[in-house]
């Protein structure tokens, strides 16, 4: 609907059999659209556009009938703290503009049983109970399950439900269930109630094993329930109040771009709130990790690592800012840490050749390479990045102290204005390499999509774009 149509359209109709008057206010931005209806007793109910999941044609006997799928705010203290719950209503004679805005004219809604040219596909629901503030199970119960039954005619017997029991559950599921089926050519729909970590677990488990010529990429719907949800925020999945359900129904699968990080031999993955170490997958004797969001060192990696505790996690996304404050203004009154090491950038020269270029400084404050635009909602770290464009971009700056760092980071919350700051370097790259000169373990931690990898003294990490995608992500086109 264009701006010229930004007017109220009114129709007489029915909602679940009741006579009502529908009013629809259109707008260019979905969050500014609003459907309302007046009941016979004069009561008016308003439904904001960002609460509407989809408007689907229905088989009701009366003409012009649709199923209106949306979320409603949960009563305070109910539904296990989930802020919204799913509901559906049968609407007769809705205003045509609202049907056009929240329906698909071709009727080609996403169905879990369809995909990759096959008649059916296996459907899996993966609930990561440790993600974010621990609401994934409640969202599955109060939002996803009723939606699957209402919109897709799927009961619990039509899909496999997997609830995580440890940090390794998604990795084990991928290795033991998803990958063997994909190698057999079986198309799979995976609905992942998780943060970015769940996605990186699936990717790494697939890429660390053998894939057959018959391999079929799983199609993943991400319901963002992590802390930062960088991938979902950057891909537009988290732009409404439906917890990704609108994207699930109205989106289409698109290849998920990846990067590949190679580490020096002593690098270890830290798990269980960094109390334990695990070996990384190796290729030709080199430790490897794959990501779809970010590889960082410096302030970002340290704040992710420091905030990875049960005490911090209960604060949700605020934990990052809390950890950042402690790093920039250490409680002992010292200055913010200056990270020691050599940063090199791989770029394409004018003659089309790739060449390494060393950054001319030995201390760093912030080093971050990313495939996405936002690290959390409203925090635009790479404004030039477009959803799933596959471009790797680097943001870095020298140690400038707590006050100046906060000033730069605040600009990232203002539409990514920090990249215009003279203190910040921002460019598209093919890869980066960091050679660490830190002696203390705390400052040799690298963040890959929320996972923390510790590099040994004198170690290194090298990151490059990875051309081979292994999963599709459902996004709004």
């Amino acid at each position: 609907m264009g701006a010229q149509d930004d007017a109220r359209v009114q129709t007489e109709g029915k909602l679940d059999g009741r006579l009502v008057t529908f009013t629809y206010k259109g707008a260019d931005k979905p969050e500014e659209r609003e459907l309302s209806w007046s009941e016979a007793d004069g009561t008016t109910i308003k439904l904001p556009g960002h609460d509407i999941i989809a408007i689907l044609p229905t088989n009701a006997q009366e003409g012009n009938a649709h199923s209106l799928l949306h979320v409603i705010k949960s009563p305070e203290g109910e539904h296990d703290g989930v802020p919204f719950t799913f509901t559906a209503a049968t609407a007769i004679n809705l205003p045509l503009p609202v049907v056009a805005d929240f329906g698909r004219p071709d009727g080609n809604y996403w169905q879990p049983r369809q995909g990759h040219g096959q008649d059916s596909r296996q459907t899996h629901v993966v609930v990561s109970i440790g993600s974010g503030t621990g609401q994934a199970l409640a969202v599955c119960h109060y939002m996803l399950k009723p939606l699957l039954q209402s919109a897709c005619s799927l009961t619990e017997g039509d899909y496999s439900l997997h609830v995580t029991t440890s940090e390794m559950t998604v990795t084990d599921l991928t290795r033991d269930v998803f990958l063997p089926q994909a190698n057999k050519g079986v198309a799979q729909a995976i609905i992942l109630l998780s943060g970015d970590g769940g996605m990186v677990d699936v990717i790494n488990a697939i890429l660390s094993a053998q894939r057959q010529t018959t391999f079929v990429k799983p199609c993943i719907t991400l319901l963002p329930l992590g802390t930062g949800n960088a991938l979902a925020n950057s891909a537009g999945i988290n732009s409404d109040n439906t917890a990704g359900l609108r994207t699930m129904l109205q989106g289409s699968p698109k290849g998920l771009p990846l990067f590949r990080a190679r580490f020096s031999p002593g690098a270890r993955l830290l798990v269980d709130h960094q109390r334990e170490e695990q070996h990384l997958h190796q290729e030709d004797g080199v430790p490897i990790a794959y990501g779809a969001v970010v590889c960082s060192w410096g302030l970002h990696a340290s704040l992710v690592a420091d905030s990875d505790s049960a005490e911090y996690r209960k604060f949700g996304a605020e934990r990052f800012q809390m950890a950042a404050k402690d790093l920039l203004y250490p409680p002992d009154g010292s200055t913010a840490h200056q990270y020691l090491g050599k940063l090199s950038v791989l770029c394409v020269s004018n003659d089309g050749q790739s060449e390494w270029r060393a950054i001319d400084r030995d201390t760093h404050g912030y080093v971050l390479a990313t495939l996405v635009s936002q690290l959390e909602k409203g925090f635009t770290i790479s404004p030039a990045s477009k959803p799933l464009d596959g471009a790797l971009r680097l943001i870095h700056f020298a140690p400038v102290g707590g006050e100046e760092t906060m000033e730069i980071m605040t600009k990232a919350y203002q539409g990514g204005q920090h990249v215009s700051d003279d203190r910040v370097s921002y460019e598209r790259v093919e890869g980066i390499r960091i050679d660490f000169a830190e002696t203390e373990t705390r400052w040799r931690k690298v963040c890959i999509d929320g996972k923390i990898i510790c590099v040994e003294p004198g170690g290194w990490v090298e990151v490059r774009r990875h051309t081979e995608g292994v999963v599709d992500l459902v996004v709004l086109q």
Side-chain angles (χ1 to χ4, degrees):
M1 171 173 286
Q4 69 274 17
D5 298 318
D6 190 2
R8 296 178 184 274
V9 178
Q10 199 170 78
T11 59
E12 303 296 324
K14 293 182 180 179
L15 189 68
D16 285 341
R18 310 186 309 275
L19 291 173
V20 297
T21 300
F22 291 112
T23 302
Y24 182 57
K25 175 194 171 189
D28 280 333
K29 297 180 179 179
E31 64 270 18
E32 295 177 0
R33 300 167 187 167
E34 182 183 86
L35 175 67
S36 61
W37 54 89
S38 300
E39 304 278 358
D41 62 1
T43 303
T44 298
I45 308 296
K46 296 181 178 180
L47 179 61
H50 52 233
D51 291 355
I52 299 175
I53 298 169
I55 296 176
L56 311 181
T58 185
N59 295 325
Q61 292 182 347
E62 295 184 66
N64 196 19
H66 292 86
S67 183
L68 173 60
L69 311 180
H70 63 98
V71 296
I72 56 173
K73 286 188 177 180
S74 301
E76 189 73 27
E78 295 187 21
H79 300 138
D80 298 327
V82 173
F84 294 91
T85 53
F86 170 82
T87 190
T90 300
I92 307 296
N93 203 33
L94 282 168
L96 293 179
V98 71
V99 177
D101 282 346
F102 293 98
R104 285 185 61 150
D106 57 7
N108 188 25
Y109 294 94
W110 183 86
Q111 290 290 329
R113 300 185 187 197
Q114 301 169 356
H116 294 289
Q118 301 192 19
D119 292 335
S120 64
R121 59 180 168 188
Q122 293 182 356
T123 304
H124 300 271
V125 174
V126 181
V127 181
S128 177
I129 60 173
S131 294
T133 54
Q135 292 188 330
L137 198 58
V139 168
C140 180
H141 181 74
Y142 293 109
M143 297 180 72
L144 177 62
K145 284 185 177 182
L147 171 70
L148 289 175
Q149 184 158 6
S150 176
C152 307
S153 301
L154 290 180
T155 64
E156 291 187 30
D158 295 318
Y159 53 85
S160 300
L161 177 64
H162 313 275
V163 179
T164 62
T165 56
S166 76
E167 288 185 64
M168 297 304 296
T169 299
V170 176
T171 297
D172 294 341
L173 263 175
T174 305
R175 182 193 63 218
D176 299 336
V177 179
F178 305 151
L179 181 59
Q181 292 300 307
N183 276 335
K184 291 178 183 177
V186 176
Q188 297 170 94
I190 301 171
I191 303 171
L192 185 60
L193 289 81
S194 167
D196 296 323
M199 181 66 79
V200 76
D201 284 342
V202 173
I203 291 164
N204 278 278
I206 291 175
L207 284 165
S208 63
Q210 190 69 37
R211 291 179 310 289
Q212 308 297 330
T213 56
T214 51
F215 175 85
V216 171
K217 290 195 291 182
C219 179
I220 298 181
T221 293
L222 182 60
L223 303 192
L225 289 163
T227 304
N229 299 308
L231 183 57
N233 285 318
S234 301
I237 297 170
N238 211 22
S239 59
D240 52 52
N241 291 333
T242 71
L245 296 180
R246 177 188 295 171
T247 299
M248 186 183 84
L249 276 188
Q250 302 204 42
S252 304
K254 188 175 180 181
L256 180 64
L258 306 175
F259 62 80
R260 180 175 184 259
R262 300 169 66 247
F263 288 88
S264 48
R268 299 288 184 269
L269 174 67
L270 303 183
V271 297
D272 190 21
H273 302 304
Q274 301 175 62
R275 290 176 293 206
E276 295 184 15
E277 294 183 351
Q278 286 184 356
H279 289 282
L280 292 166
H281 162 65
Q282 293 202 355
E283 296 177 12
D284 299 324
V286 178
I288 300 289
Y290 294 90
V293 177
V294 64
C295 174
S296 71
W297 173 56
L299 175 63
H300 179 265
S302 292
L303 70 87
V304 173
D306 288 1
S307 66
D308 183 23
S309 68
E311 183 64 25
Y312 266 120
R313 280 186 172 271
K314 67 184 181 183
F315 293 104
E318 290 181 25
R319 69 184 173 102
F320 295 136
Q321 296 185 32
M322 294 167 66
K325 183 178 179 181
D326 289 341
L327 284 161
L328 294 174
Y329 307 100
D332 63 4
S334 61
T335 58
H337 184 71
Q338 298 187 17
Y339 295 80
L340 303 175
K342 176 185 175 184
L343 173 63
S344 302
V345 179
L346 182 65
C347 293
V348 178
S349 62
N350 292 334
D351 59 3
Q353 299 297 311
S354 295
E355 57 185 21
W356 287 98
R357 182 184 83 248
I359 301 301
D360 187 22
R361 66 169 185 266
D362 296 323
T363 59
H364 311 271
Y366 195 95
V367 178
L368 184 145
T370 184
L371 290 168
V372 304
S373 59
Q374 297 186 56
L375 294 184
E376 60 184 74
K377 203 161 193 175
F379 186 75
T380 307
I381 193 63
S382 176
S385 297
K386 305 301 180 187
L388 310 187
D389 66 0
L392 186 66
R393 290 182 167 86
L394 172 66
I395 303 97
H396 66 96
F397 55 86
V400 292
E403 291 293 337
E404 289 191 53
T405 300
M406 285 295 289
E407 183 183 324
I408 292 170
M409 291 292 95
T410 299
K411 291 182 178 180
Y413 284 102
Q414 299 167 354
Q417 293 182 22
H418 64 294
V419 300
S420 300
D421 191 304
D422 291 339
R423 294 165 291 187
V424 178
S425 296
Y426 178 52
E427 61 182 312
R428 180 171 178 170
V429 300
E430 292 299 304
I432 68 168
R433 179 183 170 100
I434 302 167
D435 291 276
F436 299 93
E438 291 282 0
T439 56
E440 192 175 337
T441 301
R442 181 184 182 189
W443 311 121
R444 297 193 309 271
K445 293 178 179 179
V446 174
C447 172
I448 303 279
D449 291 13
K451 306 285 186 180
I452 298 300
I453 297 169
C454 188
V455 180
E456 77 279 16
W460 51 268
V461 60
E462 187 176 302
V463 178
R464 299 197 192 198
R465 290 191 309 119
H466 189 64
T467 56
E468 182 185 13
V470 291
V471 300
D472 286 337
L473 179 65
V474 175
V475 294
L476 293 169
Q477 299 293 341

